[in-house]
Amino acid sequence: MSESKLAGQFFDAAIGLLQRVRDEESANVAAAGAAIADTVAAGGRLFAFGAGHSSLAAQDVVYRAGGFAVMNLLTVPGVVGVDVMPATLGSALERVDGLAGAVLDSSPARAGDLLVIISLSGRNALPVEMAMNARALGLKVIGVTSVAYATETTSRHLTGTYLKDHCDIVLDSKIAVGDAELTADGIEAPFAPASTVVTSALMQAMMAAAAGELAERGIEPPLLRSGNVDGGTEWNGRVMTEYGDRIFYRH
């Protein structure tokens, strides 16, 4: 099988998944957008969390051109990326009981805020406890996960529950268990994961819905512009000053 054929198959698989989530998750995306708009309109703050590669989709909506200035990354030391040495430590920390509570207690998150939790499997202790503790603190919780894992894997949380069980709104990425879209003769393991593509698209669709919802209410969405276009830096400076009390990645 040629390399170009495999590349094309991956694009086809990713496009198929994007079409599925567009069609099947539209109501949940709209609900998530409305919840974000409610939070912004009420003066609340926005946070996104993901562990391991799920953190990529969380980082994609924080401090970026075309994104909400008030979206903050909720970080858990050691699990945000593969820059930790050894990288396998991040996977181990996802299974540690009590870590999520400690992180939330020391974070600026408070009642009335909103937290988006991204976890492909939703089975590890960290995202489950993060959702449980966030709701206990009075935060609205949106989960972005693959619901299939809840029926095809075993939870690693002591309650036997998954991220999806502790969210106000769930966006299902439809990613198959194992997160690999392709197989081929001569290649022993399945390969070509699509979760980052699909999850990032869900995140951006949700934020787009929130921007539209705010505009319909007559509220200017707190958007950042690219610093590489004329006037972008000045625009961003104004937005960051206006919303400075809701932005935590600057200090």
Side-chain angles (χ1 to χ4, degrees), residues 127-149:
V128 173
E129 288 186 358
M130 188 73 77
M132 295 172 69
N133 290 357
R135 291 177 92 184
L137 287 173
L139 278 74
K140 179 85 73 171
V141 176
I142 297 172
V144 185
T145 186
S146 171
V147 173
Y149 277 81

mmCIF file of all heavy atoms in Angstrom, residues 127-149:
data_model
loop_
_atom_site.group_PDB
_atom_site.id
_atom_site.type_symbol
_atom_site.label_atom_id
_atom_site.label_comp_id
_atom_site.label_asym_id
_atom_site.label_seq_id
_atom_site.Cartn_x
_atom_site.Cartn_y
_atom_site.Cartn_z
ATOM 1 N N PRO A 127 -9.335 13.394 35.471
ATOM 2 C CA PRO A 127 -10.474 14.121 34.896
ATOM 3 C C PRO A 127 -11.785 13.865 35.629
ATOM 4 O O PRO A 127 -12.621 14.772 35.734
ATOM 5 C CB PRO A 127 -10.541 13.613 33.449
ATOM 6 C CG PRO A 127 -9.810 12.319 33.461
ATOM 7 C CD PRO A 127 -8.751 12.448 34.492
ATOM 8 N N VAL A 128 -11.975 12.651 36.139
ATOM 9 C CA VAL A 128 -13.207 12.361 36.880
ATOM 10 C C VAL A 128 -13.279 13.211 38.139
ATOM 11 O O VAL A 128 -14.299 13.876 38.421
ATOM 12 C CB VAL A 128 -13.304 10.856 37.233
ATOM 13 C CG1 VAL A 128 -14.500 10.595 38.145
ATOM 14 C CG2 VAL A 128 -13.412 10.016 35.963
ATOM 15 N N GLU A 129 -12.205 13.234 38.919
ATOM 16 C CA GLU A 129 -12.193 14.031 40.141
ATOM 17 C C GLU A 129 -12.238 15.524 39.845
ATOM 18 O O GLU A 129 -12.823 16.299 40.605
ATOM 19 C CB GLU A 129 -10.957 13.701 40.976
ATOM 20 C CG GLU A 129 -11.024 12.339 41.631
ATOM 21 C CD GLU A 129 -9.851 12.080 42.565
ATOM 22 O OE1 GLU A 129 -8.957 12.959 42.664
ATOM 23 O OE2 GLU A 129 -9.838 11.020 43.185
ATOM 24 N N MET A 130 -11.614 15.922 38.739
ATOM 25 C CA MET A 130 -11.639 17.333 38.365
ATOM 26 C C MET A 130 -13.087 17.781 38.147
ATOM 27 O O MET A 130 -13.505 18.853 38.609
ATOM 28 C CB MET A 130 -10.817 17.555 37.099
ATOM 29 C CG MET A 130 -10.611 19.011 36.734
ATOM 30 S SD MET A 130 -9.442 19.848 37.810
ATOM 31 C CE MET A 130 -7.887 19.226 37.184
ATOM 32 N N ALA A 131 -13.853 16.971 37.449
ATOM 33 C CA ALA A 131 -15.253 17.311 37.198
ATOM 34 C C ALA A 131 -16.066 17.290 38.482
ATOM 35 O O ALA A 131 -16.861 18.210 38.748
ATOM 36 C CB ALA A 131 -15.842 16.334 36.181
ATOM 37 N N MET A 132 -15.884 16.278 39.296
ATOM 38 C CA MET A 132 -16.641 16.174 40.544
ATOM 39 C C MET A 132 -16.354 17.354 41.465
ATOM 40 O O MET A 132 -17.274 17.978 42.017
ATOM 41 C CB MET A 132 -16.305 14.858 41.250
ATOM 42 C CG MET A 132 -16.740 13.607 40.504
ATOM 43 S SD MET A 132 -16.126 12.071 41.268
ATOM 44 C CE MET A 132 -17.073 12.055 42.789
ATOM 45 N N ASN A 133 -15.082 17.667 41.630
ATOM 46 C CA ASN A 133 -14.701 18.739 42.540
ATOM 47 C C ASN A 133 -15.091 20.108 41.997
ATOM 48 O O ASN A 133 -15.469 20.996 42.763
ATOM 49 C CB ASN A 133 -13.193 18.694 42.807
ATOM 50 C CG ASN A 133 -12.785 17.507 43.643
ATOM 51 O OD1 ASN A 133 -13.621 16.727 44.088
ATOM 52 N ND2 ASN A 133 -11.498 17.337 43.862
ATOM 53 N N ALA A 134 -14.998 20.282 40.692
ATOM 54 C CA ALA A 134 -15.378 21.563 40.103
ATOM 55 C C ALA A 134 -16.860 21.838 40.309
ATOM 56 O O ALA A 134 -17.254 22.960 40.670
ATOM 57 C CB ALA A 134 -15.034 21.577 38.613
ATOM 58 N N ARG A 135 -17.681 20.836 40.111
ATOM 59 C CA ARG A 135 -19.119 21.033 40.325
ATOM 60 C C ARG A 135 -19.417 21.291 41.796
ATOM 61 O O ARG A 135 -20.298 22.098 42.127
ATOM 62 C CB ARG A 135 -19.895 19.822 39.817
ATOM 63 C CG ARG A 135 -19.864 19.696 38.310
ATOM 64 C CD ARG A 135 -20.587 18.456 37.846
ATOM 65 N NE ARG A 135 -21.988 18.706 37.557
ATOM 66 C CZ ARG A 135 -22.864 17.768 37.206
ATOM 67 N NH1 ARG A 135 -22.466 16.514 37.129
ATOM 68 N NH2 ARG A 135 -24.104 18.069 36.950
ATOM 69 N N ALA A 136 -18.685 20.621 42.667
ATOM 70 C CA ALA A 136 -18.879 20.856 44.099
ATOM 71 C C ALA A 136 -18.528 22.293 44.479
ATOM 72 O O ALA A 136 -19.118 22.863 45.412
ATOM 73 C CB ALA A 136 -18.039 19.875 44.909
ATOM 74 N N LEU A 137 -17.589 22.888 43.750
ATOM 75 C CA LEU A 137 -17.204 24.282 43.999
ATOM 76 C C LEU A 137 -18.163 25.278 43.358
ATOM 77 O O LEU A 137 -18.042 26.484 43.577
ATOM 78 C CB LEU A 137 -15.789 24.538 43.457
ATOM 79 C CG LEU A 137 -14.626 23.927 44.237
ATOM 80 C CD1 LEU A 137 -13.322 24.123 43.474
ATOM 81 C CD2 LEU A 137 -14.526 24.555 45.622
ATOM 82 N N GLY A 138 -19.101 24.792 42.563
ATOM 83 C CA GLY A 138 -20.074 25.671 41.934
ATOM 84 C C GLY A 138 -19.725 26.084 40.523
ATOM 85 O O GLY A 138 -20.269 27.057 40.005
ATOM 86 N N LEU A 139 -18.824 25.342 39.878
ATOM 87 C CA LEU A 139 -18.488 25.618 38.491
ATOM 88 C C LEU A 139 -19.402 24.834 37.561
ATOM 89 O O LEU A 139 -19.834 23.726 37.890
ATOM 90 C CB LEU A 139 -17.038 25.230 38.174
ATOM 91 C CG LEU A 139 -15.933 26.222 38.541
ATOM 92 C CD1 LEU A 139 -15.701 26.242 40.038
ATOM 93 C CD2 LEU A 139 -14.642 25.881 37.801
ATOM 94 N N LYS A 140 -19.673 25.409 36.405
ATOM 95 C CA LYS A 140 -20.322 24.669 35.337
ATOM 96 C C LYS A 140 -19.247 23.848 34.638
ATOM 97 O O LYS A 140 -18.151 24.347 34.384
ATOM 98 C CB LYS A 140 -20.972 25.630 34.348
ATOM 99 C CG LYS A 140 -21.654 24.977 33.165
ATOM 100 C CD LYS A 140 -23.070 24.547 33.477
ATOM 101 C CE LYS A 140 -24.000 25.728 33.565
ATOM 102 N NZ LYS A 140 -25.422 25.321 33.668
ATOM 103 N N VAL A 141 -19.543 22.592 34.316
ATOM 104 C CA VAL A 141 -18.540 21.708 33.714
ATOM 105 C C VAL A 141 -19.014 21.190 32.362
ATOM 106 O O VAL A 141 -20.110 20.630 32.239
ATOM 107 C CB VAL A 141 -18.219 20.513 34.640
ATOM 108 C CG1 VAL A 141 -17.253 19.552 33.958
ATOM 109 C CG2 VAL A 141 -17.630 21.003 35.965
ATOM 110 N N ILE A 142 -18.172 21.395 31.359
ATOM 111 C CA ILE A 142 -18.390 20.826 30.031
ATOM 112 C C ILE A 142 -17.326 19.760 29.812
ATOM 113 O O ILE A 142 -16.137 20.020 29.987
ATOM 114 C CB ILE A 142 -18.275 21.908 28.937
ATOM 115 C CG1 ILE A 142 -19.354 22.972 29.115
ATOM 116 C CG2 ILE A 142 -18.370 21.281 27.541
ATOM 117 C CD1 ILE A 142 -19.193 24.179 28.199
ATOM 118 N N GLY A 143 -17.742 18.571 29.453
ATOM 119 C CA GLY A 143 -16.808 17.484 29.189
ATOM 120 C C GLY A 143 -16.698 17.211 27.698
ATOM 121 O O GLY A 143 -17.713 17.174 26.998
ATOM 122 N N VAL A 144 -15.477 17.047 27.217
ATOM 123 C CA VAL A 144 -15.241 16.661 25.824
ATOM 124 C C VAL A 144 -14.515 15.327 25.868
ATOM 125 O O VAL A 144 -13.372 15.236 26.319
ATOM 126 C CB VAL A 144 -14.410 17.718 25.073
ATOM 127 C CG1 VAL A 144 -14.292 17.336 23.603
ATOM 128 C CG2 VAL A 144 -15.036 19.102 25.211
ATOM 129 N N THR A 145 -15.180 14.273 25.410
ATOM 130 C CA THR A 145 -14.674 12.921 25.624
ATOM 131 C C THR A 145 -15.226 11.989 24.555
ATOM 132 O O THR A 145 -16.088 12.377 23.761
ATOM 133 C CB THR A 145 -15.093 12.435 27.031
ATOM 134 O OG1 THR A 145 -14.480 11.175 27.310
ATOM 135 C CG2 THR A 145 -16.592 12.304 27.165
ATOM 136 N N SER A 146 -14.724 10.776 24.525
ATOM 137 C CA SER A 146 -15.301 9.737 23.676
ATOM 138 C C SER A 146 -16.167 8.840 24.548
ATOM 139 O O SER A 146 -15.655 8.092 25.383
ATOM 140 C CB SER A 146 -14.211 8.910 22.988
ATOM 141 O OG SER A 146 -14.785 7.790 22.342
ATOM 142 N N VAL A 147 -17.451 8.925 24.360
ATOM 143 C CA VAL A 147 -18.393 8.175 25.196
ATOM 144 C C VAL A 147 -18.207 6.671 25.031
ATOM 145 O O VAL A 147 -18.515 5.892 25.935
ATOM 146 C CB VAL A 147 -19.840 8.620 24.879
ATOM 147 C CG1 VAL A 147 -20.854 7.740 25.591
ATOM 148 C CG2 VAL A 147 -20.038 10.092 25.267
ATOM 149 N N ALA A 148 -17.665 6.243 23.905
ATOM 150 C CA ALA A 148 -17.465 4.810 23.662
ATOM 151 C C ALA A 148 -16.609 4.159 24.740
ATOM 152 O O ALA A 148 -16.791 2.979 25.076
ATOM 153 C CB ALA A 148 -16.824 4.597 22.293
ATOM 154 N N TYR A 149 -15.672 4.904 25.310
ATOM 155 C CA TYR A 149 -14.798 4.334 26.331
ATOM 156 C C TYR A 149 -15.578 3.889 27.564
ATOM 157 O O TYR A 149 -15.155 2.972 28.273
ATOM 158 C CB TYR A 149 -13.724 5.344 26.733
ATOM 159 C CG TYR A 149 -12.525 5.377 25.817
ATOM 160 C CD1 TYR A 149 -12.563 6.091 24.619
ATOM 161 C CD2 TYR A 149 -11.356 4.700 26.130
ATOM 162 C CE1 TYR A 149 -11.462 6.136 23.771
ATOM 163 C CE2 TYR A 149 -10.245 4.736 25.295
ATOM 164 C CZ TYR A 149 -10.311 5.451 24.118
ATOM 165 O OH TYR A 149 -9.221 5.481 23.287
#
